[in-house]
Amino acid sequence: MRVFVLLFNARTENEGIHTIQLGDRNKVLMFESEDDATRFGVMLEAQDFPEPTVEAIDEEEIKEFCDSVDYDWELVPAGALAIPPEDNVTQTQWQPDSEPEPELDSEVSQNELDSIRRRLEGLL
């Protein structure tokens, strides 16, 4: 069965899925109706979230994703009026339009870099 979820920065390296945090658990909402997911997304925007993308995904794929990252999930039946919680987390694991962090070159240790720097300074 196809369900609808809300994604931020859809189809980018910085893609994030909307979750609701309950205590120390995260829950993904899977909407049966695209209109209900869109309505929920508009309510999120009213709470100063970036504009989410409503994405149709296979229900089993979302459940597997949730299992792999230890998230809960909830199927929102068509016509049910899901409302975002009034309290939002202040720091998300995903940030809109954030730059990917540079990868460190693990093949050169800090000691080796210091040694190279000293030799180069000696040449001056």
Side-chain angles (χ1 to χ4, degrees), residues 110-123:
Q110 185 63 43
N111 289 338
E112 290 174 296
L113 288 174
D114 290 340
S115 173
I116 293 169
R117 184 174 25 85
R118 281 192 299 277
R119 283 187 274 159
L120 288 172
E121 288 171 350
L123 292 174

Side-chain angles (χ1 to χ4, degrees), residues 37-50:
T38 301
R39 186 178 314 113
F40 192 88
V42 169
M43 287 189 273
L44 287 176
E45 283 184 80
Q47 292 181 347
D48 294 328
F49 275 84

Side-chain angles (χ1 to χ4, degrees), residues 13 20 32 41 44 52 57 60 65 74 77 88 91 97 105:
E13 288 183 23
I20 294 179
E32 284 185 340
L44 287 176
I57 300 179
E60 290 305 314
F65 165 77
E74 179 182 335
N88 296 322
Q91 180 66 34
D97 303 323
D105 187 359

Side-chain angles (χ1 to χ4, degrees), residues 52-117:
T53 301
V54 175
E55 192 79 22
I57 300 179
D58 183 67
E59 178 181 7
E60 290 305 314
E61 188 177 332
I62 292 295
K63 288 178 181 179
E64 287 175 18
F65 165 77
C66 288
D67 288 342
S68 72
V69 293
D70 196 30
Y71 285 178
D72 298 326
W73 55 268
E74 179 182 335
L75 183 64
V76 179
L81 183 59
I83 299 173
E86 290 185 26
D87 295 331
N88 296 322
V89 294
T90 55
Q91 180 66 34
T92 62
Q93 293 175 354
W94 161 88
Q95 295 299 315
D97 303 323
S98 70
E99 294 292 320
E101 293 194 20
E103 293 183 22
L104 297 175
D105 187 359
S106 60
E107 294 182 21
V108 180
S109 73
Q110 185 63 43
N111 289 338
E112 290 174 296
L113 288 174
D114 290 340
S115 173
I116 293 169
R117 184 174 25 85

